[in-house]
Amino acid sequence: MLANVVLSTLVVCIPSTFLAVLIGVPAGYFLKIKRFKYRKMIVRIVYTLSGLPPVLAGLLVYILLSRKGPFGFLDILFTKWAMIITQVILIVPIVMLYTLSGLKNIDRVLENLDYLSVKGRKRYTAIVREYSKEIIYAIVLGLSRAISEVGGVLIVGGNIEGSTRILTTAIIFEITKGEFSNALMLGLVLLAISFTFNTILQILQGDVFD
Amino acid sequence: MKTQRYLKNVVAFFVLICVFGVSIFSGTASVKYKIATTTSIYDSGFLDFVTPAFEKKNNVKFNFISVGSGQAVKIFKNGDADGIIIHEKSFLNELKKEKLINGYTAFVSNYFILVGPKDKKDLFKKVKSVQEAFALIRKNNFKFVSRADNSATYIRELGIWKLAKVQPDFGGYIKSGQGMGMSLNLANEKKAFILTDEATFYKMKDKLESLDVIYQNPKEQVLTNIYYFAYSPKKAELSKFASYLKSKEFKNLVSSFNQKFFKKEIYRIVK
């Protein structure tokens, strides 16, 4: 029972963070170094979306994925996929925003790479290596958002036992039933998971850089 | 170089979890049905108690989405659920008119009861009907929690205010906008009156220390609470579940549920 909820939490939050980092870091990098029309406007939008209320994201994804919506044919409303999509929408702007501010001195790094005439794939590997600490921090931010979010995933997931019930929605459900001690227990489990993740990521950061 | 290896490990870890997750999605072989259900019958644990026997026998799996009756109807109307369990007949008649369902099966009932702060119980001793009790609450401007959420319980509550010929617009009227369980918690904290179904109340009773039954009467039509099951004609296989709800096996499960959690007959079989 609890194991299932914990597993569902991981199965939803980790892929959504992974996807969000996969999208958000390159997008943020692109936005940082390229100069084009409406760039400032887009940056402003990213800033705004980084504070997107989860319930609004949930509502939008719900409307899109409902059988009557444009993506209804996918038949994934009230599944983990819908929850992952909602979380990706929520996390991508945060990761982009962090990438924008995290890529300090990128111009100098790029200049050096030009000077050494590092090109193609090697160039990107070098950049990733240079900023791996920032990337790990972006993962931490994304994961924290994913794991603590409840409004959005409750709407699109439906809190189905054994399927879309994750720790946060289970907590809400226990409160609904007045089972406050169960809710508290689940909250502590959630905190422990978060702590574990952050420990792993911090060790990685430390091992690599200190 | 060391950095790169670490990053590779991180990526490999994430990919592994993703693949693991996807394999879980496609893990079970049984046919899944989504059933939108009203909170009261789900939160009481009833559905989770009576359905596994059916699921096992027919190799199907029910995914219950527990929301207020109003939202359940919306979910069903949009085609996002295959079946629906609610306790508001007018919604079902609407669905029938729109040909979204062929009919519906009444399977269990319980009663609506008025609960409220223990210390005010004596004031209601001489009350003869639920509308009289409501009128008394209005007259004294007592606190009253209303779900105000387009749920069946809320619709029934409005019906009773109408019978009492008073408008629920007094100072003590609190609109919670939440499900039955959460609204009961609120009423408990605020020492307020609330209309609820017997099952949810008795299931939570030990957590609702300031509340007690203020008025109940099984003979009043307006207080009967019947749960219905209906399904989309596109999912004709669900007729099996409808007949299961009329079976002997189901009846036995209902009585053992009552025994286990209430020690008295709360959910009654509908003939």
Side-chain angles (χ1 to χ4, degrees):
Chain A
M1 187 61 228
L2 175 66
N4 198 309
V5 174
V6 170
L7 198 64
S8 296
T9 307
L10 299 180
V11 164
V12 168
C13 294
I14 293 179
S16 53
T17 307
F18 180 61
L19 284 173
V21 170
L22 221 55
I23 300 166
V25 171
Y29 172 76
F30 185 79
L31 208 54
K32 176 85 185 178
I33 62 159
K34 293 276 194 296
R35 291 288 172 275
F36 51 91
K37 216 177 162 186
Y38 303 125
R39 180 181 168 275
K40 279 212 167 129
M41 186 64 173
I42 292 172
V43 170
R44 217 174 298 149
I45 291 170
V46 170
Y47 266 76
T48 310
L49 290 184
S50 69
L52 184 68
V55 281
L56 181 56
L59 175 66
L60 291 174
V61 173
Y62 188 105
I63 291 168
L64 292 173
L65 293 183
S66 168
R67 208 56 78 99
K68 287 208 166 154
F71 298 102
F73 64 91
L74 291 173
D75 194 18
I76 55 169
L77 187 64
F78 302 130
T79 66
K80 290 197 184 82
W81 294 112
M83 299 162 88
I84 291 173
I85 292 169
T86 308
Q87 294 204 326
V88 168
I89 291 173
L90 287 169
I91 303 167
V92 163
I94 295 175
V95 172
M96 281 178 78
L97 188 65
Y98 183 70
T99 309
L100 276 173
S101 71
L103 293 176
K104 286 178 289 246
N105 308 324
I106 183 75
D107 292 335
R108 223 178 54 214
V109 172
L110 290 177
E111 261 170 41
N112 285 343
L113 290 173
D114 283 339
Y115 178 72
L116 296 166
S117 64
V118 179
K119 292 213 170 63
R121 236 182 78 189
K122 271 192 177 163
R123 192 180 166 94
Y124 288 106
T125 333
I127 295 169
V128 168
R129 201 183 311 155
E130 182 70 26
Y131 289 101
S132 42
K133 199 169 190 171
E134 276 74 14
I135 292 172
I136 289 179
Y137 193 62
I139 296 172
V140 171
L141 280 181
L143 206 55
S144 309
R145 172 79 161 189
I147 214 163
S148 60
E149 196 277 311
V150 59
V153 288
L154 190 60
I155 294 171
V156 302
N159 193 32
I160 298 166
E161 193 196 337
S163 155
T164 60
R165 183 165 301 163
I166 62 171
L167 280 163
T168 48
T169 60
I171 290 172
I172 296 279
F173 187 54
E174 292 302 325
I175 295 171
T176 298
K177 293 188 291 177
E179 304 278 359
F180 296 106
S181 52
N182 286 355
L184 191 63
M185 194 268 291
L186 290 169
L188 292 176
V189 173
L190 188 63
L191 213 55
I193 289 175
S194 190
F195 183 77
T196 311
F197 275 130
N198 282 300
T199 308
I200 293 171
L201 291 167
Q202 213 167 48
I203 288 171
L204 270 175
Q205 264 186 339
D207 276 1
V208 177
F209 301 102
D210 293 340
Chain B
M1 278 300 109
K2 206 179 166 196
T3 332
Q4 233 175 331
R5 209 176 60 229
Y6 272 113
L7 277 175
K8 264 185 197 157
N9 285 345
V10 173
V11 170
F13 171 68
F14 280 132
V15 170
L16 202 75
I17 296 269
C18 286
V19 171
F20 182 52
V22 171
S23 62
I24 285 178
F25 289 132
S26 44
T28 45
S30 52
V31 187
K32 280 185 184 159
Y33 293 106
K34 285 177 197 157
I35 313 283
T37 167
T38 178
T39 53
S40 53
I41 200 162
Y42 184 76
D43 294 2
S44 70
F46 181 80
L47 291 178
D48 281 340
F49 190 87
V50 298
T51 51
F54 177 82
E55 289 175 323
K56 225 178 193 174
K57 211 191 281 167
N58 295 280
N59 194 32
V60 296
K61 174 94 187 85
F62 288 129
N63 283 345
F64 292 111
I65 302 152
S66 141
V67 289
S69 294
Q71 199 189 337
V73 169
K74 281 269 161 61
I75 288 173
F76 184 78
K77 265 190 184 170
N78 284 344
D80 295 321
D82 309 313
I84 184 169
I85 292 172
I86 49 172
H87 52 146
E88 178 56 45
K89 212 174 178 174
S90 64
F91 287 155
L92 289 164
N93 288 329
E94 218 175 281
L95 291 175
K96 205 172 164 186
K97 218 186 271 167
E98 292 176 38
K99 297 208 164 49
L100 293 168
I101 56 173
N102 289 331
Y104 44 82
T105 311
F107 60 105
V108 283
S109 70
N110 66 12
Y111 293 104
F112 285 115
I113 52 176
L114 176 69
V115 302
K118 279 179 181 150
D119 51 357
K120 295 212 173 66
K121 201 174 174 178
D122 291 347
L123 291 170
F124 289 80
K125 263 188 178 153
K126 287 181 186 145
V127 163
K128 296 243 161 36
S129 68
V130 68
Q131 57 262 37
E132 209 178 301
F134 270 46
L136 198 62
I137 292 169
R138 169 71 181 87
K139 200 178 126 211
N140 290 298
N141 197 16
F142 288 149
K143 281 183 197 148
F144 185 98
V145 171
S146 169
R147 285 178 56 183
D149 64 348
N150 201 19
S151 64
T153 310
Y154 177 58
I155 291 169
R156 198 62 65 94
E157 181 212 311
L158 290 185
I160 298 171
W161 287 119
K162 213 169 175 186
L163 282 177
K165 295 194 179 69
V166 290
Q167 291 289 324
D169 56 358
F170 51 104
Y173 195 68
I174 303 162
K175 294 178 180 173
S176 78
Q178 305 203 65
M180 196 71 257
M182 214 67 133
S183 298
L184 278 166
N185 285 333
L186 181 64
N188 183 53
E189 289 300 321
K190 297 243 177 217
K191 293 200 169 160
F193 292 85
I194 183 169
L195 185 74
T196 179
D197 64 287
E198 272 182 306
T200 314
F201 178 68
Y202 285 114
K203 195 82 197 284
M204 290 176 64
K205 197 169 186 307
D206 52 336
K207 286 145 210 137
L208 304 169
E209 67 284 346
S210 60
L211 300 182
D212 204 350
V213 178
I214 299 294
Y215 182 84
Q216 59 183 351
N217 185 356
K219 290 196 181 78
E220 264 177 85
Q221 187 67 33
V222 73
L223 294 178
T224 18
N225 182 24
I226 302 173
Y227 291 89
Y228 306 88
F229 168 70
Y231 57 93
S232 157
K234 286 179 204 148
K235 303 278 174 177
E237 316 89 84
L238 282 172
S239 67
K240 265 194 195 167
F241 185 62
S243 28
Y244 168 76
L245 292 173
K246 290 290 181 190
S247 71
K248 187 116 200 283
E249 192 186 357
F250 175 73
K251 276 177 203 169
N252 291 339
L253 278 173
V254 173
S255 56
S256 44
F257 183 80
N258 285 333
Q259 264 315 309
K260 188 169 176 197
F261 293 105
F262 306 115
K263 306 267 182 296
K264 58 177 170 175
E265 197 186 19
I266 294 288
Y267 282 116
R268 293 157 179 87
I269 294 288
V270 177
K271 298 224 171 56

